[in-house]
Amino acid sequence: MKVELNDVVLHLLVNQSSSIESIEKDIKQKKHVIKEYINDINACLIKENKGCILLNDDNGNILISEATRESLYQMLKESRFINLDYISPEIRIHLILIKLLTDCNCDSLQDLADFVGVSKNTLLNDMKAVKEVLLSYSLQLEYSRSCGYQIHGSEFNMRKLLVTEAKKLLLNDFGAALFERKKMVDETELFFLKQRLIKMENELQVSLTDEQLEDLPFVLHLLIKRISEFQVEWTSELDDYDLVNTKEYQSLKEMFWGTGVLSEKDKLYLSLQVLSSSMLESALDLSGSMDLMLAVDGFLENLEGYLATALMNKTELKHKLILHLKPAIYRARLRLNMRNPLKEQFITEFPSIYSIVSKSIHPIEEFARKSFLQEEIVYIAMLVQAWIYQTAEQRDHVFTALVVCRNGTSVSKLMLESLRGMFPHFHFIGAFAERNYKKHEHEVDFIFSTVPLNTSKKTFLVDPILTKENRKALKAELRKCIDKDDEKKAKELFYQLKEHIDIKDYQAIQNKITDFFKAPALTSVQTKHGETIFSFSSRHILFSDRDMTWEEAIETAMNPMMQRKSVKESYCRKVLELFQKESSRMMIGPGVYLPHASPGDGVEMEDFSLLICKHLVEMPDGGAAKMMVILSPKDYKHHVPTLLHLNEIFLDEAKADKIFQAKNEIDVLEVISPVSEKGVSAFD
């Protein structure tokens, strides 16, 4: 089936309302092709007795019931629209290795060729790659006519390889579906293992990530299948570690009741796969825990030395590191394989912090008596990077949001702090697993997620690690979303003005702003409500085509206000101080900033100054300003109608562009001067 169907379903899940035209823009396909895709999706829905996607042929609008949306969500999760008939060479290698490690039947060359759907000649090439993988684990592949292909070597290494190959296959969206298609797993056993893992979470008060809860049943099931099929005596490196008497082991051991072939050593090995799962914050006690604390202290001291700074909330960071390091140290000691699909991306995006963590980690490696793999160091670096991003929480926020991430604590924390830094006017209530976010859904305005969700809330799909390009695109998408929603637009503008409004007028002004945005567009603000808008003239308009800093831009715009004795010098200093900290919330339109302070900071009279920057000016928040409007408010509410008027203009792309392209003050005034009820400009 066409993989493009996935793109259509993803679009429909992310957007609560949609049309053929919006899908066309999103997935870059022709309208008639999109209609064919929708027909194909509906065919799948009808086959399962589900409601269809409804298409209005007159206007192209699409309607989806909540029941249909849920069905689409499940289809996407189960990889229904991915073609599993063709298997790539890389995936074939994983499948062949897993089959040979879990099935003691005598597989011939033809048997394996049929299993992966290729010719015998193609399979002979694949077997060369299989031998290379086995060699890296000190294992050998042997063939005989009577026994077919068989793997020989250390049982410990064979189990280690099985876990690695299973996790690699599950990295693919279709991994679980492929296991089931090839009849390599028993769905009933997977279900029971998953339920037992959930029970274990509750008993031990730990949290598996969504990925772990989905992948661990496959890994455990395949290991149990190997143990049952081959039943070989083996030795391991587990004897040196006092795990048998821990409450974690006693609880985990209960997961494997009913499997008579498992020895105590086997149960211990399986339990370690859970206890050492990537980012499981286990309560597992390590012998020498005081030494571990000293090792973490040494690591943090090294970090602070390289960073030339004092890490904030260091006690909390130390606690988080110790929780992560307990299972990580067992992974290091036993060389258990773990996956970090974001390793390369993180190292590319944050090479400095990765290098510093790598150089600082040696006290912890000395405690573990083993060096850490690159994947482990990256997870620790993610925790550190998230801490560096951390900023003090603001008391007041305009919007509320949550993060949904399947990748575990380190990645979730890094993603959460990155978003907090990007959107300081948002209150992020936390990062949640996909299975847990629903209970908090009603508390937020927005959701930022790494996976598609079945939710009525506006959701932004984001990469776990946000590159510079990702951040720019996300900010633009969010800005577009807010500008289309009258209530959110009003909420945001009120937040920007709140500090200049007397507390007793909060509700009245917020209602007024909301009514303004909900009402049909008016040609004049003051003629409808009898309010006075600031009278702009040519002396309030400035142009600059030179390259300058944001400080120079503000000073340039404020000089005429100083000459008009509208403000004192203390007001200028306060505006510069506030704008450096809060420029991201002082925007009244795309590329238009509103530097300002409070009436009590040195305002003599209400005034405005509009600076049009022909050479874009870089702002403290990383944005680029093409215009700056300096405001000096005489009180907490008189300037509000003027700001509403300007806000409406700057959110109109055509009007804003006309101001930016203006050759003189007259051109600008023709756009910003209000119009009377008779249609005559106040400027006229």
Side-chain angles (χ1 to χ4, degrees), residues 584-606:
S584 63
R585 72 176 188 83
M586 293 188 183
M587 288 184 69
I588 57 171
V592 185
Y593 286 77
L594 179 76
H596 61 281
S598 297
D601 290 322
V603 175
E604 295 292 336
M605 64 178 180
E606 184 172 295

Side-chain angles (χ1 to χ4, degrees), residues 6-18 26 64-66 68-77 81 451-459 461:
N6 258 19
D7 298 332
V8 175
V9 172
L10 185 59
H11 174 95
L12 294 174
L13 288 174
V14 170
N15 298 279
Q16 291 302 308
S17 59
S18 188
D26 190 11
I64 307 175
S65 69
E66 283 305 311
T68 301
R69 185 178 294 278
E70 176 65 29
S71 300
L72 292 174
Y73 175 67
Q74 291 302 323
M75 285 180 168
L76 192 67
K77 286 195 71 175
F81 304 122
V451 292
L453 303 173
N454 182 25
T455 174
S456 59
K457 293 291 180 180
K458 175 58 184 174
T459 303
L461 281 180

